[in-house]
Structure formats: C-alpha cells, structure tokens
Amino acid sequence: MTLLQVDPDTAMALKGSYSALLLSLVLMGAWLALASGQQQTSTNDQFLRRHWDNPKTQATSNTAYCRLLTRCRGISRRNNTFIHDSITAINSICTGNRDGPVTSRRTFKITVCKFNPNTGTATGTPLVHRIVVICKKKLPVRFVTSVRPKIWA
C-alpha cells in the first residue's frame, strides 16, 4: 500500500468524522442565529416588563398604583412610565421605522410615576400622550419620554 492509498475501513471512518464535523458546525450556526434573535426578544421583553400594564392595574389612588407597580417590578425609588395599551399597539410604533428614537403617531393612555427622594414616595399622573421609544429591529427596547399631543386650531 502506498502513502496515498487508504484502506476501506479508514476511508469510512474519515467520511463519518467529516459528516459529524459538518453537522456540528451547522448546529452551532443555528444556535448562534437563535441566540442573537433571542437577545433582541429579551430586550423587548424587558421593555414590556418595565413599562406595559394593560389593562391598568386597579389601585385606590395613582400614588398607590405607582407604589404597587414599581415595587412588584423591582423598580421602586425610580421614575417610570406605564403604558396601558396592547402589546401589538406598542410594538407597532416601530413597524416600518429604522433603529433609533421614534415618536408614536397616535396617543396612548399612560401613567407617569415620579419618585420624590425627600418623601420616599412616587406620585402618579394619568395622561394621554404620544410616546417616544428607541426601536431596534422593529421592536421598542427603551422608553424615552412622552409628548403632549398637538392641538390643531
């Protein structure tokens, strides 16, 4: 047998190793693709966990509402805005827009919770405003601010 010749058993073993290596690479590529998509979804999930409350949770007052929701979500002692609309409506802000800040075309019912460090409480103000969010891959990932709707004369 010369150096370039390989017996049939060795040739079959090499083919099997090649197939296993190829399968491993394909599976790793699929896993990486899913993991990168999962990162985007989890960023949108974090946004929704922090800002979405629909239907609005009932409380005795807007101050009690802010205290309840910020504590339940682990964001007490911080300012936060809660959006009272469907996930579809919120996510649609980013449809057709590129990544970056986007102002909603329509208004949303929101509750703005402002924390006062002197008193240790948060006051809640219900509003109907347009909202500005940061979009990434056609999904909102961060709340920026709310904007009073323009009144046309």
Side-chain angles (χ1 to χ4, degrees):
M1 183 166 15
T2 67
L3 286 175
L4 295 175
Q5 290 179 331
V6 179
D7 66 271
D9 292 335
T10 305
M12 290 304 288
L14 289 174
K15 283 183 180 178
S17 297
Y18 177 75
S19 297
L21 177 63
L22 185 60
L23 177 62
S24 298
L25 290 173
V26 168
L27 290 175
M28 187 185 313
W31 178 80
L32 288 172
L34 287 172
S36 65
Q38 187 64 33
Q39 176 65 31
Q40 177 60 34
T41 301
S42 69
T43 306
N44 179 249
D45 289 346
Q46 290 170 359
F47 167 83
L48 293 171
R49 251 191 315 278
R50 180 165 181 156
H51 298 289
W52 178 65
D53 182 43
N54 189 54
K56 183 178 179 180
T57 302
Q58 295 298 310
T60 56
S61 68
N62 288 315
T63 298
Y65 170 83
C66 288
R67 183 173 49 248
L68 173 69
L69 260 68
T70 56
R71 283 186 183 160
C72 286
R73 298 180 187 207
I75 52 174
S76 57
R77 307 184 76 75
R78 292 167 69 184
N79 296 335
N80 196 57
T81 300
F82 293 99
I83 307 165
H84 314 297
D85 212 319
S86 71
I87 292 173
T88 303
I90 296 166
N91 285 347
S92 73
I93 297 168
C94 296
T95 303
N97 289 299
R98 60 179 180 219
D99 290 355
V102 176
T103 303
S104 65
R105 293 177 187 232
R106 61 172 280 245
T107 58
F108 288 86
K109 290 181 182 178
I110 61 174
T111 301
V112 177
C113 298
K114 291 206 178 207
F115 177 72
N116 182 336
N118 297 327
T119 62
T121 61
T123 55
T125 306
L127 300 168
V128 178
H129 277 189
R130 295 167 65 202
I131 60 176
V132 180
V133 297
I134 299 294
C135 296
K136 194 169 186 182
K137 296 185 180 177
K138 301 201 181 294
L139 289 172
V141 295
R142 200 174 104 221
F143 182 87
V144 177
T145 191
S146 64
V147 179
R148 188 176 304 175
K150 293 180 180 174
I151 300 174
W152 303 97

